[in-house]
Amino acid sequence: MLTEGQTNRVWQKMIEAEVRSYYFGELVARYSKQKQLITGLSLMLSSGVAATLGAKAPGWIPLVLSAVTAFLTAYSIAVGLDKRAVNMAKLHYEWNHLCSDYERLWNHWYDQDAEQSLGELLKRAREVSEKGTTDAPYEPDLIQKWFEFVNDRYQSVAA
């Protein structure tokens, strides 16, 4: 059974986990869109259409198209967009899972093993946080956006 302070902490951690889940979900979408855009532009610029257009244009245009294609490809590789998207997807999943587990505990705060469950959830949250410290960017405005979204959602449910 949890104390009042512990149940308040469960609520707070549930909100934080949901905010982080949305945050990392948006980063997944952002990195995926960037990768799709870069891939599409690279394919278009290196295709026969670009070569045909370039053949009719001044001599420097094919060089520029080739340079842009090379730059886009190098950027995608250097930044590791594929790896970043996969890592953010894993973080999104883990925070989403934690949020669900905090919510389950919130609804069963009176169970005999509730305190033990809280300890395990807090440990898992620390482990997930460690995973995100090296790859994940910190964007306060984006976090604030999702905090306000989650806060508004719970306020409308309570009303």
Side-chain angles (χ1 to χ4, degrees):
M1 180 178 235
L2 298 179
T3 65
E4 182 179 347
Q6 290 170 321
T7 55
N8 290 339
R9 190 168 188 201
V10 169
W11 180 260
Q12 176 189 5
K13 293 298 182 181
M14 181 179 74
I15 299 294
E16 290 174 6
E18 187 169 351
V19 168
R20 288 180 176 133
S21 173
Y22 284 125
Y23 174 77
F24 289 115
E26 185 163 333
L27 290 177
V28 170
R30 182 185 300 172
Y31 292 143
S32 296
K33 285 178 186 173
Q34 285 178 3
K35 180 64 177 177
Q36 289 172 347
L37 179 65
I38 288 171
T39 301
L41 284 172
S42 295
L43 286 171
M44 185 186 79
L45 292 174
S46 64
S47 72
V49 173
T52 302
L53 292 174
K56 296 178 182 179
W60 58 269
I61 290 188
L63 292 174
V64 170
L65 293 176
S66 295
V68 169
T69 302
F71 172 77
L72 290 173
T73 304
Y75 172 79
S76 178
I77 292 168
V79 171
L81 287 176
D82 291 330
K83 182 182 176 205
R84 275 186 162 189
V86 167
N87 289 344
M88 297 306 109
K90 288 178 184 176
L91 288 168
H92 166 70
Y93 168 80
E94 291 187 43
W95 282 112
N96 191 299
H97 189 67
L98 271 164
C99 179
S100 296
D101 290 345
Y102 279 122
E103 186 174 11
R104 188 175 305 108
L105 180 58
W106 171 258
N107 291 321
H108 296 276
W109 61 269
Y110 47 83
D111 287 354
Q112 291 281 338
D113 62 344
E115 194 167 351
Q116 179 184 348
S117 295
L118 175 59
E120 291 168 3
L121 289 174
L122 293 172
K123 181 181 179 210
R124 275 180 43 212
R126 283 190 302 272
E127 291 168 355
V128 173
S129 287
E130 278 183 35
K131 293 177 187 178
T133 56
T134 56
D135 287 343
Y138 176 63
E139 297 184 26
D141 292 340
L142 188 58
I143 290 173
Q144 184 63 31
K145 168 190 165 183
W146 289 114
F147 176 77
E148 290 171 7
F149 174 81
V150 170
N151 195 38
D152 290 347
R153 191 170 78 82
Y154 282 110
Q155 284 182 357
S156 68
V157 169

